[in-house]
């Protein structure tokens, strides 16, 4: 491979990396407005509590869930692709913006579950 070809290849890889970073940064933007989601979450509090940590095992914990998963779940409840008598009714009146804002709010909450790391025994 010639020296000029190697230089062109490095230049191309550098440009591709910068474009990739710029595109990745654009996609890393928040999915919705956390404060608006907090305001819109009033109907959710009865089952999921104010911070999204339900004390009833029948209702899922929303705090710390991935925002895109929450968007997916709420859209599926709204469309009827995911069936739950309570959630289908709750999601029916939500706009796309409402869903994104609720997802942003619950994703921003501290996760209720954590992983306990154990030291490996040295036997």
């Amino acid at each position: 491979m010639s020296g000029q070809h190697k230089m062109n290849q490095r230049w191309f890889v550098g440009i591709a990396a910068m474009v990739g970073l710029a595109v990745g940064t654009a996609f890393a933007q928040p999915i919705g407005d956390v404060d608006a989601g907090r305001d819109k979450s009033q109907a959710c509090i009865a089952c999921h509590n104010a911070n999204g940590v339900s004390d009833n095992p029948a209702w899922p914990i929303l705090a710390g869930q991935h925002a895109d998963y929450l968007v997916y779940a709420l859209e599926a409840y709204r469309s009827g692709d995911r069936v739950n008598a309570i959630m289908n009714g709750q999601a029916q009146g939500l706009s796309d913006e409402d869903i994104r804002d609720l997802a942003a709010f619950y994703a921003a909450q501290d996760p209720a579950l954590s992983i306990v790391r154990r030291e490996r025994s040295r036997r």
Side-chain angles (χ1 to χ4, degrees):
M1 196 179 287
S2 74
Q4 182 64 36
H5 182 73
K6 284 183 183 179
M7 188 181 332
N8 287 344
Q9 187 177 20
R10 285 186 194 138
W11 181 83
F12 178 77
V13 170
I15 295 296
M18 286 188 290
V19 169
L21 285 172
V23 169
T25 301
F27 287 118
Q29 299 302 313
I31 202 160
D33 184 306
V34 173
D35 292 330
R38 179 181 297 106
D39 294 342
K40 295 172 183 181
S41 72
Q42 297 308 304
C44 310
I45 291 173
C47 297
H48 300 286
N49 289 332
N51 62 351
V53 181
S54 174
D55 54 5
N56 184 330
W59 299 312
I61 293 172
L62 304 178
Q65 286 281 2
H66 292 276
D68 51 353
Y69 168 75
L70 293 169
V71 167
Y72 165 80
L74 286 170
E75 287 176 345
Y77 284 126
R78 183 177 63 185
S79 71
D81 288 341
R82 194 168 184 175
V83 178
N84 177 282
I86 295 170
M87 285 305 302
N88 292 127
Q90 291 294 325
Q92 197 65 48
L94 297 175
S95 69
D96 290 344
E97 181 181 5
D98 294 337
I99 288 175
R100 288 191 308 272
D101 291 343
L102 287 166
F105 169 67
Y106 286 114
Q109 303 310 300
D110 288 332
L113 303 175
S114 61
I115 297 171
V116 176
R117 299 205 185 270
R118 296 183 186 167
E119 293 290 323
R120 286 187 132 162
S121 63
R122 298 180 190 204
R123 295 182 190 199

